[in-house]
Amino acid sequence: MSKFYLTDPNILTATLTHQEFKIYHYLCKNYNVQKHTAYVRLVDIAGLFQLQTKEVEEILIKFCQIKVNDLPLINITKEKYTIYSMPSHKKFLEQIGFKQNNLYKGFKAINGYLKQL
């Protein structure tokens, strides 16, 4: 179950390069479904995809401009610390049934889909 993660199929309609698509999937994989928080660490992404941190920052800024379901892929809030959120991914998870601190409905819905296959 550690390699299991959900991604909105509407992401396929977004104009992303192959590398940006892989980075977005990496961000979805590290998204905390229970708390609805994004785990984004620039150094990890840069190391995994052999990029410089400046290039990763540029890609994340581009993600802020790309919208899926009328929501940006990533929001960046710079205060004392840089905070990242993934509003389109959060909305997708809530539509399936994954509410914050209540995962039962989401896993029940996924189990139902899997039984249909």
Side-chain angles (χ1 to χ4, degrees), residues 3-4 9 15 23 35 46 52 58 62 81 92-93 101 106-108 110:
K3 298 206 182 236
F4 173 77
T15 55
I23 290 172
K35 296 180 181 177
Q52 296 179 357
E58 291 171 359
K62 182 179 176 186
Y81 302 102
F92 166 70
L93 291 174
N101 297 321
F107 281 116
K108 185 177 177 182
I110 290 175

Side-chain angles (χ1 to χ4, degrees), residues 6-47:
L6 298 167
T7 303
D8 188 0
N10 292 329
I11 192 68
L12 298 174
T13 62
T15 55
L16 298 172
T17 65
H18 180 65
Q19 181 129 26
E20 293 168 349
F21 188 76
K22 289 187 336 185
I23 290 172
Y24 184 73
H25 272 275
Y26 175 77
L27 295 173
C28 290
K29 185 172 73 170
N30 288 322
Y31 189 83
N32 187 337
V33 178
Q34 185 173 5
K35 296 180 181 177
H36 284 275
T37 57
Y39 175 77
V40 178
R41 191 158 179 236
L42 298 179
V43 177
D44 290 348
I45 297 170

Side-chain angles (χ1 to χ4, degrees), residues 18-104:
H18 180 65
Q19 181 129 26
E20 293 168 349
F21 188 76
K22 289 187 336 185
I23 290 172
Y24 184 73
H25 272 275
Y26 175 77
L27 295 173
C28 290
K29 185 172 73 170
N30 288 322
Y31 189 83
N32 187 337
V33 178
Q34 185 173 5
K35 296 180 181 177
H36 284 275
T37 57
Y39 175 77
V40 178
R41 191 158 179 236
L42 298 179
V43 177
D44 290 348
I45 297 170
L48 183 65
F49 296 102
Q50 297 179 351
L51 299 169
Q52 296 179 357
T53 55
K54 193 171 200 173
E55 293 173 310
V56 174
E57 288 176 356
E58 291 171 359
I59 290 171
L60 294 178
I61 290 170
K62 182 179 176 186
F63 285 169
C64 292
Q65 299 166 353
I66 297 172
K67 295 192 178 203
V68 174
N69 298 329
D70 297 326
L71 292 169
L73 294 179
I74 289 183
N75 275 342
I76 301 173
T77 307
K78 292 187 178 184
E79 293 174 2
K80 185 175 181 181
Y81 302 102
T82 304
I83 300 170
Y84 299 93
S85 63
M86 299 174 67
S88 65
H89 189 65
K90 180 180 177 181
K91 181 179 178 182
F92 166 70
L93 291 174
E94 288 175 349
Q95 287 175 345
I96 293 175
F98 286 95
K99 304 289 182 197
Q100 187 171 358
N101 297 321
N102 186 6
L103 303 178
Y104 175 73

